[in-house]
Amino acid sequence: MTQAPQAAKATRRQHDREILALAVPAFGALVAEPFFVMVDSAIVGHLGTRQLAGLAIAAALLTTAVSVFVFLAYATTAAVARRVGAGDLRAAIQQGMDGIWLAVLLGVGVIAVTLPAAPWLVDLFGASDTAAPYAITYLSISSLGIPAMLVVLAATGVLRGLQDTRTPLYVAVGGFGANAALNALFVYGFGFGIAGSAWGTVIAQCGMAAVYLVVVVRGARRYGASLRPDPAGIRAGARAGVPLLVRTLSLRAVLLIATAVAARLGDADIAAHQVILSLWSLTAFALDAIAIAGQAIIGRCLGAGDVRGAREACRRMVWWGVVSGLVFGVVIVLARPLFVPLFTGDQVVRDTLVPALLVVAVTQPVSGVVFVLDGVLMGAGDGRYLAGAMVVTLAVFAPVALAVPSWGGGLTALWWAMGLMMAVRLVTLWWRTRSGRWLVAGATR
C-alpha cells in the first residue's frame, strides 16, 4: 500500500530536480538578455537626450525584428530534443545545424531590408528631426549584428534540446560583460558616440555567436554530423517555424494593441502601463524559464516514446507554474509600496498604477499555467495548434481592449482585458493538453 505513494513521490522529486536543473540557468540567460539594451541606454544616456531618444527608437525596431524569429529557438529545441530522446545524437545535432543555417539566411535577408530602409523605418516611428540621425546611425550599424543574434537564438535552441541550459547562461553573462566593456571603451574611450555603442553591441553579439558555433561544431564533429547546409533540412525547419511565427506575431499584436489603447487613455495611463508592462515582462521571464524546461523535457520524452513520462512531466510543470504564479502574485502585492516609488514620483501615475497592478497580481497563477502549457505544446511540436489558439485569443482580446476607452474603465479595465486574454489562452491550451492529441511519440512529429 505504501510503495505506490513512495514511488509517486520519488517520480515527482526526479521531475523537480530535472525541471529546476534546466529552468534556473534558463532564467539567468533570459534575464541577462534585456541588460544589453539597459547597458546601451545607460551609456548613451550620458551623451544627451537626443542620442538616447535615437537609441530608444532603433532598439525598438531591432527588438521587433529579432523577436519575430524567436521560433528559431523554440522549433529547434523541440526537434533536437525529440532526436535526443530517440537516442540519435547525430541526427539531433544535424537538425540543429539546419536551424543555424536557416538563421544565417534569415539574418542576411533582414540586413538586406533594414539597411536601405533604415531612414524610412525611423521616420515611420515618428522620430524627431534631432533624434532621427542618431536612430538611423544606431540602426544601420546594429543591423549588421542581426545574423549573429539569430544564430544565437538557433544555437540556444540546439543546446536546450540537448538538455543544456548552463552553456547559454555562461554565454549570456559573458556577452553582457563584453557588451558593457566595449560600449564604455568605444563611447567614452575612443569618443565614437552612439556609433561606438552600436559597434560594441555588434562585436559582443558576434562573439556570442562564435562561442555557440564552436560548441555546436565540436558536437557535430564528435557525432559525425555534417556542417554543410542541407536544403531539405533548412526547408523543414522553416516549415516548422511558420506556425510559431504566426503565434509570435499574434502575441506581439496583443501587446501593441494594449499599448495603443493605454496611450489613448492619457499620459498618466500610458506611463503607468509602461511600468506595469515592464514588471509583467519580468515575471514572464521567470515563468518562461519553466516553459523552456518543458520544451526540452517533453521533446525528449516523446522522442523516446515515453508518453506516460511526458504526461507526468506536464502535470508536475503545471504544479510549478501555479506555485510560481501564486508566489509572484503575493510578492507583487506585498512589495508594491517599495518598488512603485522607484518608477515614478507622480502621485497621479501612482494612483493609476496600483489598482491595475493588483489585477496583474491576481492573474499571475493563470499566467503561470499558460506559460507552462505553451512550453509543453512547443516541446511536442504542436505549432499549428498554438498558432490557431493565439489567433483566436487575439480575436477575442482586440475588440474588448479597443472598447475600454469608451467604457471609461481606464487602465484597470485594460489590464482586466489582458487578464481575459490570458484566460482564453488557458482554456485553449488546457483543452488541448487534456485531449492528449499533442502526445505524438517518435524522433519526428
Side-chain angles (χ1 to χ4, degrees), residues 276 279-280 325 328-329 332-333 336 352-367 409-422:
I276 296 172
L279 181 64
W280 188 79
F328 290 147
I332 289 171
V333 171
R336 73 185 189 281
T352 304
L353 190 155
V354 171
L357 193 61
L358 294 177
V359 176
V360 174
V362 169
T363 56
Q364 280 298 296
V366 174
S367 298
L411 190 66
T412 302
L414 176 60
W415 275 93
W416 275 120
M418 289 288 285
L420 171 65
M421 179 269 294
M422 295 303 291

Side-chain angles (χ1 to χ4, degrees), residues 16 32 46 120 160 167 225 248 263 271 288 297 330 332 338 377 397 408:
D16 289 345
H46 289 285
W120 177 81
R160 288 173 181 170
T167 300
T248 301
D288 202 31
I297 294 170
V330 171
I332 289 171
L338 300 177
L377 296 183
F397 169 78

Side-chain angles (χ1 to χ4, degrees), residues 164-239:
D164 176 9
T165 56
R166 289 184 179 273
T167 300
L169 171 61
Y170 300 147
V171 175
V173 172
F176 167 70
N179 180 59
L182 289 169
N183 269 258
L185 176 64
F186 290 167
V187 174
Y188 299 139
F190 296 160
F192 291 165
I194 195 170
S197 176
W199 280 117
T201 301
V202 168
I203 293 171
Q205 290 162 344
C206 290
M208 292 172 65
V211 172
Y212 273 121
L213 288 175
V214 168
V215 174
V216 176
V217 168
R218 188 177 297 164
R221 288 175 174 169
R222 182 182 303 129
Y223 295 104
S226 174
L227 301 179
R228 296 179 179 178
D230 176 16
I234 293 172
R235 286 194 299 270
R239 284 195 298 270

Side-chain angles (χ1 to χ4, degrees), residues 69-381:
F69 296 114
V70 73
F71 70 83
L72 288 168
Y74 294 159
T76 303
T77 297
V80 171
R82 275 184 176 269
R83 286 162 174 78
V84 169
D88 193 346
L89 289 178
R90 179 185 178 280
I93 296 177
Q94 187 64 62
Q95 181 76 42
M97 288 302 306
D98 293 337
I100 290 173
W101 277 112
L102 176 60
V104 171
L105 293 174
L106 290 172
V108 171
V110 173
I111 287 180
V113 172
T114 304
L115 274 178
W120 177 81
L121 290 170
V122 169
D123 183 63
L124 184 66
F125 263 60
S128 66
D129 292 339
T130 54
Y134 298 106
I136 293 170
T137 297
Y138 191 92
L139 180 60
S140 299
I141 296 172
S142 293
S143 64
L144 300 176
I146 289 177
M149 296 166 73
L150 298 189
V151 166
V152 167
L153 284 177
T156 300
V158 176
L159 295 181
R160 288 173 181 170
L162 293 171
Q163 318 296 295
D164 176 9
T165 56
R166 289 184 179 273
T167 300
L169 171 61
Y170 300 147
V171 175
V173 172
F176 167 70
N179 180 59
L182 289 169
N183 269 258
L185 176 64
F186 290 167
V187 174
Y188 299 139
F190 296 160
F192 291 165
I194 195 170
S197 176
W199 280 117
T201 301
V202 168
I203 293 171
Q205 290 162 344
C206 290
M208 292 172 65
V211 172
Y212 273 121
L213 288 175
V214 168
V215 174
V216 176
V217 168
R218 188 177 297 164
R221 288 175 174 169
R222 182 182 303 129
Y223 295 104
S226 174
L227 301 179
R228 296 179 179 178
D230 176 16
I234 293 172
R235 286 194 299 270
R239 284 195 298 270
V242 168
L244 293 179
L245 175 62
V246 173
R247 168 204 167 273
T248 301
L249 290 174
S250 299
L251 181 57
R252 295 290 299 182
V254 165
L255 299 178
L256 287 173
I257 289 171
T259 300
V261 170
R264 292 173 59 189
L265 295 174
D267 290 346
D269 293 87
I270 186 61
H273 175 75
Q274 183 58 37
V275 173
I276 296 172
L277 191 60
S278 299
L279 181 64
W280 188 79
S281 298
L282 179 62
T283 61
F285 277 127
L287 297 171
D288 202 31
I290 304 174
I292 287 170
Q295 293 172 31
I297 294 170
I298 296 299
R300 191 200 65 222
C301 287
L302 293 178
D306 186 5
V307 173
R308 179 180 177 183
R311 280 190 180 278
E312 291 176 349
C314 175
R315 282 195 291 268
R316 197 58 186 167
M317 281 182 282
V318 167
W319 181 87
W320 273 100
V322 171
V323 171
S324 299
L326 287 171
V327 170
F328 290 147
V330 171
V331 169
I332 289 171
V333 171
L334 296 180
R336 73 185 189 281
L338 300 177
F339 65 77
V340 168
L342 297 177
F343 288 97
T344 178
D346 189 324
Q347 190 59 46
V348 176
V349 175
R350 291 185 186 182
D351 292 342
T352 304
L353 190 155
V354 171
L357 193 61
L358 294 177
V359 176
V360 174
V362 169
T363 56
Q364 280 298 296
V366 174
S367 298
V369 178
V370 167
F371 276 93
V372 166
L373 294 182
D374 204 39
V376 165
L377 296 183
M378 282 185 188

